[in-house]
């Protein structure tokens, strides 16, 4: 049967992959007044103190340390745990994950991923351990949790540390346990593109309270007090405006997650009947945060490659993203590592060539999603 194509008009304004959630502007002005009146702008002021308490409660963790961004938080997490040598990590992540290892003079060792979660495959980790391995750095990619029990079991068996890159995972729970409670340390990013943000910002959460002091020295030039500088620390502090935004964002983030959940269900309903487009459902016993809506394109079944669909959507002013392509193991600075060989990473290589993230944010209109799905559907006809 020959179907007539209905002419779909491109979006007038660009539809981006995400738009930041914003707190109430009047409340922001009030916070600015508070900060101006206090004349305290940074260096662990009142907003910072209040935010630390509120965020600790919200994330349900025993200890927390705030940072100016997630990358520096992760970098200092590696230092606080005295990591060295080699650390096993995933190639299917944002550049920051292996880069923080490099900045710590640690060699990132890439291990393959699981085809469903896109996270480190526990069955592959053991084969990558050498006498130089000090830790595993898994990422809960797109907020889908790693196989936490298996990873911890491997780490315990080999005496390794575990740092979770939980940059995408604000609000995620596994078996009723908040995601920041797993591993030795978990890192959250509060960048503007994240579901919950402080414009730029980050946090580390951890059970071992002795890390509090180490991290506070590390992020504040090593100052113990005015006259004692105990380590060669750096400046990675969160400022008062970031902390104030963080406090206000706590009031609106749950509603954002609810909206994204609803929008995700529309994508799922619309795309499930399209051959060659695959996506993940919610995982059992997981509270998701609906950070992204990610599909994989099976070119043979769909009749068009991922790259052509990306271009086609761009033609309609829709900006999907190939998160995460290229793999970190293919970056010029890492591709010479033995673990970067595509033979070592067959699943990650395959997924990165098929994956496409669709626009998803609370202000995205239901009719926009229908229009995006109509364009995708039309591509198959
Ligand atoms: N680990 C992982 C696994 C991560 O994903 C990240 C960050 C980190 C560590 C490091 O955490 P941070 O140090 O960043 O706290 C973005 C973000 O810049 C980056 O934070 C994030 N991951 C990554 C996944 O995405 P880009 O280069 O894709 O962002 P960009 O500028 O292209 O923005 C995407 C879209 O968002 C734009 O097309 C429009 C929209 N947007 C963006 C910004 C910045 C806005 O509407 N308003 C904005 O202010 O990296």
């Amino acid at each position: 049967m020959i179907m007539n194509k209905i002419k779909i008009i491109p979006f007038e304004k660009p539809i981006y992959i995400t738009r930041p959630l914003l707190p109430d502007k009047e409340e922001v002005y009030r916070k600015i007044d508070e900060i101006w009146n206090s004349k305290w702008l940074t260096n662990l002021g009142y907003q910072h103190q209040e935010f630390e308490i509120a965020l600790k409660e919200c994330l349900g963790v025993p200890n927390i340390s705030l940072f100016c961004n997630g990358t520096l938080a992760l970098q200092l997490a590696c230092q606080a745990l005295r990591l060295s040598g080699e650390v096993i990590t995933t190639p299917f992540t944002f550049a920051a994950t292996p880069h923080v290892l490099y900045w710590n003079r640690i060699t990132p060792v890439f291990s393959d991923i699981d085809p469903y979660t896109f996270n480190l495959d526990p069955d592959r980790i053991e084969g990558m351990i050498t006498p130089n391995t000090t830790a595993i750095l898994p990422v809960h990619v797109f907020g889908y949790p790693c196989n936490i029990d298996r990873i911890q079991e491997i780490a315990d068996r080999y005496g390794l540390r575990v740092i979770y890159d939980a940059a995408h995972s604000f609000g995620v729970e596994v078996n009723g346990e908040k995601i920041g409670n797993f591993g030795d340390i978990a890192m959250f990013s509060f960048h503007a593109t994240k579901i919950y943000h402080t414009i730029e910002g980050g946090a580390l959460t951890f059970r071992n309270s002795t890390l509090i002091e180490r991290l506070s020295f590390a992020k504040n030039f090593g100052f113990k007090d005015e006259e004692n500088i105990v380590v060669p620390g750096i400046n990675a502090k969160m400022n008062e405006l970031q902390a104030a935004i963080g406090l206000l964002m706590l009031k609106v983030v749950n509603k954002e997650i609810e909206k994204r959940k609803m929008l995700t269900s529309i994508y799922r309903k619309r795309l499930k009947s399209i051959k060659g487009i695959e996506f993940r459902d919610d995982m059992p016993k997981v509270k998701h945060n609906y950070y992204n809506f990610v599909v994989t394109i099976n070119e043979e079944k769909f009749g068009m490659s991922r790259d052509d669909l990306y271009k086609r959507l761009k033609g309609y002013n829709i900006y999907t993203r190939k998160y995460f392509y290229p793999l970190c193991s293919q970056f010029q600075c890492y591709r010479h590592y033995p673990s970067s060989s595509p033979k070592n990473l067959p699943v990650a290589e395959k997924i990165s060539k098929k994956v496409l993230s669709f626009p998803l944010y609370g202000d995205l209109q239901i009719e926009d999603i229908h229009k995006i799905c109509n364009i995708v559907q039309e591509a198959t006809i």
Side-chain angles (χ1 to χ4, degrees):
M1 187 173 65
I2 297 167
M3 289 182 71
N4 285 330
K5 286 192 182 183
I6 307 151
K7 181 147 175 55
I8 304 173
I9 299 158
F11 283 96
E12 210 173 300
K13 286 190 185 154
I15 300 286
Y16 293 115
I17 183 77
T18 191
R19 301 308 336 249
L21 172 66
L22 295 171
D24 180 71
K25 208 155 55 168
E26 293 306 317
E27 288 201 59
V28 175
Y29 291 152
R30 279 200 288 278
K31 277 287 180 200
I32 291 174
D33 277 344
E34 263 180 53
I35 294 169
W36 258 234
N37 292 338
S38 74
K39 288 197 164 49
W40 200 276
L41 306 183
T42 185
N43 288 9
L44 324 176
Y46 308 108
Q47 304 292 335
H48 188 287
Q49 288 165 29
E50 203 184 316
F51 182 41
E52 206 171 53
I53 294 166
L55 189 62
K56 194 164 99 170
E57 164 95 30
C58 168
L59 292 176
V61 292
N63 299 295
I64 196 161
S65 187
L66 303 176
F67 292 85
C68 57
N69 62 54
T71 304
L72 273 167
L74 198 55
Q75 202 168 310
L76 296 184
C78 296
Q79 290 193 6
L81 294 180
R82 310 288 188 249
L83 302 187
S84 61
E86 296 171 4
V87 168
I88 294 169
T89 193
T90 169
F92 191 76
T93 181
F94 188 61
T97 317
H99 284 355
V100 299
L101 298 175
Y102 193 89
W103 277 70
N104 277 305
R105 296 176 189 269
I106 293 166
T107 306
V109 172
F110 297 110
S111 190
D112 208 5
I113 61 171
D114 174 275
Y116 186 78
T117 62
F118 305 160
N119 295 327
L120 274 182
D121 178 350
D123 287 337
R124 301 296 307 276
I125 294 174
E126 251 178 300
M128 305 308 292
I129 297 173
T130 75
N132 297 326
T133 311
T134 53
I136 308 169
L137 172 50
V139 183
H140 304 297
V141 179
F142 308 133
Y144 275 67
C146 294
N147 191 330
I148 287 157
D149 291 342
R150 291 275 319 275
I151 289 173
Q152 195 57 55
E153 187 253 310
I154 295 166
D156 290 344
R157 195 141 32 93
Y158 289 87
L160 305 176
R161 300 292 204 163
V162 180
I163 300 181
Y164 279 107
D165 180 334
H168 303 170
S169 307
F170 186 95
V172 173
E173 293 178 22
V174 185
N175 286 324
E177 181 71 85
K178 307 256 187 185
I179 198 86
N181 283 315
F182 299 108
D184 292 283
I185 300 184
M187 180 281 282
F188 293 88
S189 162
F190 304 144
H191 182 267
T193 52
K194 300 292 177 292
I195 209 156
Y196 170 88
H197 70 89
T198 58
I199 303 178
E200 292 264 8
L204 296 178
T205 61
F206 41 93
R207 279 167 297 183
N208 179 355
S209 54
T210 58
L211 290 174
I212 296 177
E213 195 175 48
R214 254 187 219 183
L215 288 167
S216 71
F217 295 158
K219 71 179 170 187
N220 191 21
F221 311 100
F223 277 105
K224 188 169 186 184
D225 54 46
E226 268 182 60
E227 295 185 4
N228 285 296
I229 292 91
V230 289
V231 290
I234 200 161
N235 181 1
K237 294 173 270 98
M238 176 178 275
N239 70 44
E240 287 292 272
L241 275 167
Q242 288 175 292
I245 296 289
L247 278 166
L248 299 179
M249 291 285 291
L250 287 177
K251 298 185 186 182
V252 290
V253 65
N254 287 338
K255 202 164 166 207
E256 172 73 12
I257 293 174
E258 280 309 310
K259 281 190 196 164
R260 289 183 187 219
K261 182 177 180 176
M262 181 271 292
L263 296 171
T264 298
S265 74
I266 297 174
Y267 268 131
R268 285 175 175 163
K269 263 187 223 134
R270 284 295 316 270
L271 296 180
K272 77 167 185 262
S273 56
I274 302 183
K275 275 204 192 96
I277 299 234
E278 280 153 25
F279 51 83
R280 284 96 51 89
D281 282 324
D282 288 359
M283 287 168 73
K285 297 185 184 162
V286 172
K287 181 168 176 246
H288 287 273
N289 67 0
Y290 307 96
Y291 166 55
N292 268 11
F293 184 71
V294 183
V295 305
T296 52
I297 312 290
N298 180 325
E299 184 176 344
E300 234 170 70
K301 289 191 193 158
F302 182 63
M304 184 182 274
S305 70
R306 183 274 309 270
D307 290 351
D308 285 342
L309 180 61
Y310 167 88
K311 279 190 220 140
R312 188 184 181 92
L313 290 167
K314 209 171 183 176
Y316 286 93
N317 225 356
I318 302 160
Y319 293 84
T320 56
R321 290 297 285 263
K322 300 174 200 177
Y323 292 136
F324 287 105
Y325 174 87
L327 293 175
C328 295
S329 47
Q330 284 308 311
F331 294 175
Q332 200 176 317
C333 47
Y334 302 128
R335 70 166 81 115
H336 61 286
Y337 291 173
S339 67
S340 295
S341 161
K343 281 197 197 116
N344 182 46
L345 307 166
V347 180
E349 288 280 342
K350 203 166 144 194
I351 298 289
S352 79
K353 291 185 180 97
K354 301 201 299 184
V355 81
L356 197 61
S357 287
F358 276 44
L360 183 64
Y361 46 90
D363 280 344
L364 188 63
Q365 300 302 301
I366 293 175
E367 53 273 25
D368 294 343
I369 297 194
H370 282 298
K371 185 161 160 176
I372 294 167
C373 294
N374 289 342
I375 295 164
V376 174
Q377 198 161 25
E378 206 207 48
T380 65
I381 298 171

